[in-house]
Amino acid sequence: MSYRMYKVINTLQKFVRHNMTFTDKLKVLKAWDEPYADATTGDTAYSRLHTEGRAVVVQLVSSNTASNMEELSHFAICAGADFISHKGDKLEIAVKKMSGTTAKSVAFQLATFIAVDPPTAMIADYDFPAEFTEVDKENYPLFYGKGRGNTELDNGAYLHQFMSSDDTYQYFRLHPSILTCYSSLLFQLNRASTDGEQIDLVVVRGYLADPEQVSLFSQSTDDRYNTHTLGVAMQLKFAENTSSAYTPARLLEEVVKTCGPLFNLQNEAMGLGLYANSVFVDMRDLFEVWVAPDSLIPYPGMDKNAYEDFLETLHTAAIEGRVVDPDDPVEACNLAVIPLKQSPTYLYKLPELVNRRRKRSTPTDVCTPNDSTDFCLSTVGHRNSEAALVWADMIRQHLDHEPPSELQYAVRGCFSDCGTCLEGIIYERKHKNCSNMVHWMPYPMLNDDPDVTNFFSRNKRWSKELACGLPGHHCINKSPAYAKLAPHVYRVYRPDPQKAQIEELYSKEDNPSPLMSVLEETYAINAKGKVTFWVEDEVDMKAMEVPFKTVMMYNHDVTVVVIYVRNAVSIKPVAAVVEGFIQNMATTGCTLYTRKILAPYTIEVIPASHLVKRDTSAAKFERDIKNMD
């Protein structure tokens, strides 16, 4: 009798004695037996169970009425029986195969299996590699799958797809993450399908028994050896008649993006093989790639080492959530507003989908756009004066020819237009004119050199000093574009010339201007190499969303983003904000315009060496001023 069956019978006997009658006992009519076939049906199912010690036929010593049998079956369920069948005045009870004395169940997404031991005669078919210890073996349980081939283990993943195709081998090993990988791949591929084509995957190879892998792979030269037998690998291909756009190389990249994070949750890396018609993936300690042959590499001019580096970079980015993979690819592209460098051919254009949404939107209780406020009506002259000053300076800059009239229109719209709210048709019109002006004007950004671009919090003086003052640093304040335009957007005026009281001409409450945001975005798209942000806390980080999004998602020349935080206590809150930005960018970006992989980034406390340099320059100047006071 198997240990699992023994425990059921032992517990059931106690239930009978304590809950039915004090004098009644459980009577075992049949337990282990020689192999036989049922005389009437020829069914050998229970014969096999009895032979394996996993079935018994029982009744009560006293009365075996229908009601007593029903009550007995309930107790059998409570005792842990897996199968129960009424046979008139007796009960047939069976249990599942089980390894050891304690049931080890493994839960897949949609089904649960119990670990088993193979029959003694088949041990060699399911043996472990020689170097495995007993502890290692515990991580790769064996399951019995006969008769359960149509069991759905995960969404779209059925047991028969992953078991051996040879009926000789009814036992198998399979890690749940392999199934989740397969199921997630199906979902991702079909979600990203823009033409409605149904994408199906074929499992070329799932679990293999030891004799099977010996006939297929060379132990010394094939990286797949001892992976299928452990249940941590699968070989996949697209189903027949799938569009030619779906190549094995494309499938391999999707495997990296989709399954890399899943395996990482198990503290496992990936082994990847690219073959002529299929792709291999497994779970292993270190990330590895092989291509057979090298001509399968999909990028012209890229050798094997470069291709491996590319896939490993993609793997790291996938784990960190930096792969751009929009939830709705069509909508993501319809909503995309792409930051571009300065150019005379630039033309700001809001996507039609956004335009339609804006037209359908209704004013909210928070802010209703209004261009006829007392403020707007009383400051017309001041705003027109600013526009005239900016235009006059631009005329002086255009020494060789008269500036285009479109630029003059953009200047007037940026500085002369007035209206409340940070959204709505008025603000959008100002945004369009300011953006055209910044891209057409003759004032450059001058942050073209690599590794020089810095961003800082506008209301933190220390942040500005570190971003702009350290050797080799460049910030937006050093650009001619900022120097020419910032004084105007920060302009103040006196509502009453006879009084000293002053107000902002472009305040957030009365007449918000998008100009500084446009300048920062254009400065960010012009950056190269390393880009640095200097922040106090999460509030500063939130305020830098526009330039951060630009360098992370749209600027293909950025190699790394470094975020310096003033105090260590702010690292986690800042990281939370950044992770929110990353998730939003990865799920809403249009890959026609964005980077496929968001730029890598780090969040660190400001190095002491930077603070020392600051102390010897700008900070010293501050102290001198205070001493003079």
Side-chain angles (χ1 to χ4, degrees), residues 468-607:
C468 306
L470 292 176
H473 282 204
H474 193 280
C475 67
I476 195 170
N477 287 33
K478 291 184 176 183
S479 69
Y482 179 90
K484 293 291 185 180
L485 299 179
H488 299 283
V489 80
Y490 289 132
R491 190 74 75 195
V492 296
Y493 76 105
R494 291 181 180 178
D496 185 346
Q498 304 301 318
K499 297 181 180 180
Q501 179 186 355
I502 60 175
E503 291 185 15
E504 294 178 346
L505 195 56
Y506 302 97
S507 68
K508 184 177 180 180
E509 295 76 18
D510 296 316
N511 183 27
S513 172
L515 180 56
M516 291 309 300
S517 177
V518 171
L519 282 171
E520 285 190 334
E521 181 182 74
T522 310
Y523 184 76
I525 200 65
N526 206 55
K528 294 178 181 177
K530 183 179 76 172
V531 176
T532 308
F533 288 78
W534 306 82
V535 300
E536 179 95 29
D537 50 30
E538 68 274 21
V539 177
D540 285 355
M541 196 67 240
K542 289 178 182 178
M544 296 186 189
E545 180 176 5
V546 170
F548 183 75
K549 180 178 179 179
T550 302
V551 297
M552 289 289 292
M553 183 161 66
Y554 289 105
N555 193 327
H556 296 262
D557 294 326
V558 172
T559 56
V560 65
V561 173
V562 178
I563 303 170
Y564 281 134
V565 181
R566 193 175 189 182
N567 300 304
V569 69
S570 296
I571 285 185
K572 285 188 176 180
V574 169
V577 171
V578 170
E579 288 166 7
F581 290 162
I582 295 294
Q583 183 177 13
N584 178 262
M585 287 186 280
T587 56
T588 61
C590 173
T591 52
L592 293 177
Y593 310 111
T594 68
R595 304 165 58 123
K596 289 185 178 180
I597 302 174
L598 301 178
Y601 68 95
T602 62
I603 303 176
E604 309 169 21
V605 176
I606 299 173

Side-chain angles (χ1 to χ4, degrees), residues 55-348:
V56 296
V57 179
V58 298
Q59 63 179 194
L60 298 171
V61 169
S62 59
S63 175
N64 291 288
T65 63
S67 61
N68 280 348
M69 285 300 99
E70 182 176 358
E71 186 176 7
L72 183 62
S73 68
H74 292 165
F75 287 135
I77 293 173
C78 294
D82 298 305
F83 308 98
I84 299 171
S85 177
H86 287 265
K87 298 293 183 182
D89 62 346
K90 54 184 176 292
L91 213 62
E92 208 155 29
I93 300 174
V95 295
K96 297 178 181 178
K97 284 178 178 285
M98 188 181 88
S99 175
T101 58
T102 303
K104 180 181 179 180
S105 59
V106 176
F108 297 95
Q109 190 70 23
L110 300 177
T112 299
F113 279 75
I114 297 174
V116 302
D117 290 322
T120 303
M122 299 181 181
I123 287 179
D125 294 341
Y126 305 99
D127 207 0
F128 287 94
E131 64 272 16
F132 266 45
T133 66
E134 290 303 317
V135 175
D136 293 330
K137 296 176 183 179
E138 289 294 317
N139 297 322
Y140 305 94
L142 189 71
F143 308 111
Y144 184 67
K146 185 174 182 179
R148 300 189 66 180
N150 291 325
T151 302
E152 190 173 13
L153 303 178
D154 210 315
N155 294 315
Y158 295 85
L159 178 56
H160 68 82
Q161 296 173 283
F162 296 87
M163 283 187 66
S164 170
S165 58
D166 187 340
D167 290 339
T168 303
Y169 307 106
Q170 298 295 331
Y171 296 80
F172 68 97
R173 294 186 177 93
L174 191 58
H175 196 287
S177 291
I178 293 295
L179 289 164
T180 305
C181 169
Y182 174 85
S183 177
S184 300
L185 279 171
L186 278 179
F187 174 78
Q188 292 290 348
L189 288 166
N190 282 284
R191 182 177 64 82
S193 177
T194 57
D195 56 5
E197 181 181 3
Q198 178 69 32
I199 309 300
D200 288 320
L201 292 174
V202 175
V203 182
V204 179
R205 207 173 283 118
Y207 174 76
L208 293 175
D210 285 356
E212 293 179 290
Q213 79 159 349
V214 170
S215 66
L216 289 171
F217 310 132
S218 166
Q219 182 174 3
S220 59
T221 62
D222 201 310
D223 290 292
R224 295 171 291 182
Y225 200 86
N226 280 341
T227 58
H228 289 284
T229 57
L230 296 176
V232 295
M234 60 181 170
Q235 190 113 4
L236 301 173
K237 68 176 183 179
F238 286 113
E240 297 295 332
N241 301 321
T242 305
S243 168
S244 59
Y246 292 92
T247 63
R250 178 174 177 178
L251 177 57
L252 187 69
E253 289 187 26
E254 195 60 53
V255 166
V256 174
K257 293 187 294 183
T258 302
C259 304
L262 296 174
F263 293 176
N264 185 64
L265 292 175
Q266 306 296 325
N267 295 316
E268 297 280 357
M270 312 178 79
L272 300 164
L274 178 60
Y275 297 87
N277 298 307
S278 63
V279 164
F280 170 86
V281 57
D282 73 5
M283 302 168 63
R284 60 179 62 198
D285 294 336
L286 299 175
F287 185 87
E288 293 183 68
V289 180
W290 57 93
V291 182
D294 290 358
S295 60
L296 296 174
I297 296 174
Y299 302 105
M302 184 179 286
D303 62 16
K304 183 175 180 295
N305 291 333
Y307 186 54
E308 289 178 7
D309 290 343
F310 162 71
L311 291 175
E312 187 164 13
T313 299
L314 184 64
H315 178 250
T316 301
I319 291 172
E320 295 175 353
R322 293 188 291 108
V323 175
V324 179
D325 186 17
D327 293 335
D328 188 333
V330 175
E331 182 176 84
C333 293
N334 286 338
L335 292 174
V337 180
I338 316 303
L340 297 172
K341 294 183 179 182
Q342 292 171 297
S343 167
T345 61
Y346 173 88
L347 183 64
Y348 180 84

